[in-house]
Amino acid sequence: MKIFNSLFPGKAAKGADLKETPTVPSVRTTNYTPAKDTFVDLEPPMTAQASAGKMTKLKMLTSKDLTDHGRDLGYQYHDPDICRSTKESIRAEIGLAIESEIDQYKQWIRTLNVEIAMLQNEPTSSAFRRLKAHRENLNQEHLELIQQQFMLAGNTGCAEYPLSTFEAGFEVGQAAYAESLILLTKYQG
């Protein structure tokens, strides 16, 4: 009945004591300070290793076998300038994918630096050590991507497989075109 009276103070049931008033709990103020890890995300941000099942654009580009594409272009155009320009476009696409991943790693490292700075006063905590170790791993992978970026100019590193398969296919296409010309002139003449 007390609940009913507190919700509807003007409509009291018959026989209810109208002088009864609901009690309001007193509000106490405390000097409570939450623990530092309350507002700090102790889990490191998601990285490429955490999403191992998901293939990045760079991995997709560098694992492509471009032999068929090269063979088709070699047969159709049979011009070394086409081969050179297509290799440049493949290299540029891989370079953009590397740049994109480098930017992603920079963002992850910045996020970790902020989280590490929040835990700076607790250098012995396991979260602090874990985040620092994770940042070191990300730094290492970031440096490897920068190295791949430099190796891209020499057709080595991660770009070596797609470029070499394209070039091999292009040569096969050129040879097939030359052979078809020989057969065509042999049977026409």
Side-chain angles (χ1 to χ4, degrees):
M1 197 57 143
K2 290 181 182 181
I3 295 173
F4 184 75
N5 288 337
S6 65
L7 291 175
F8 305 103
K11 298 182 179 184
K14 290 183 183 179
D17 187 12
L18 294 175
K19 294 182 180 178
E20 185 180 329
T21 60
T23 59
V24 178
S26 65
V27 179
R28 292 186 321 169
T29 59
T30 60
N31 292 335
Y32 173 72
T33 305
K36 189 167 219 142
D37 62 348
T38 303
F39 300 105
V40 176
D41 186 13
L42 296 178
E43 294 299 316
M46 191 169 143
T47 63
Q49 297 118 355
S51 61
K54 190 171 127 179
M55 195 169 204
T56 63
K57 183 177 180 180
L58 179 62
K59 286 181 183 175
M60 287 188 326
L61 289 173
T62 58
S63 65
K64 275 187 183 178
D65 183 359
L66 299 175
T67 306
D68 294 338
H69 180 59
R71 185 180 56 239
D72 293 344
L73 285 180
Y75 185 82
Q76 187 176 8
Y77 297 108
H78 49 272
D79 184 8
D81 289 335
I82 298 292
C83 180
R84 191 173 22 263
S85 67
T86 305
K87 282 174 59 176
E88 286 300 318
S89 70
I90 293 168
R91 191 179 298 116
E93 191 174 6
I94 291 172
L96 287 174
I98 290 174
E99 276 293 321
S100 174
E101 283 204 21
I102 286 174
D103 290 342
Q104 185 65 46
Y105 273 91
K106 285 179 182 177
Q107 181 181 354
W108 287 333
I109 291 169
R110 278 192 302 268
T111 303
L112 278 177
N113 285 338
V114 168
E115 300 218 7
I116 288 171
M118 288 181 187
L119 293 173
Q120 197 71 30
N121 295 335
E122 301 172 28
T124 58
S125 72
S126 64
F128 182 77
R129 289 191 307 268
R130 233 184 14 225
L131 289 174
K132 282 191 77 158
H134 189 65
R135 181 181 62 185
E136 291 304 317
N137 289 339
L138 287 178
N139 278 333
Q140 183 63 35
E141 292 173 17
H142 178 248
L143 290 175
E144 288 172 10
L145 280 172
I146 291 173
Q147 183 180 14
Q148 290 295 324
Q149 197 174 30
F150 285 118
M151 293 171 72
L152 186 62
N155 295 341
T156 58
C158 64
E160 184 174 7
Y161 178 72
L163 289 173
S164 63
T165 58
F166 173 79
E167 190 170 16
F170 195 87
E171 289 171 2
V172 168
Q174 277 182 319
Y177 177 76
E179 188 176 312
S180 69
L181 280 180
I182 291 170
L183 288 174
L184 185 65
T185 56
K186 180 179 179 181
Y187 289 111
Q188 279 184 347

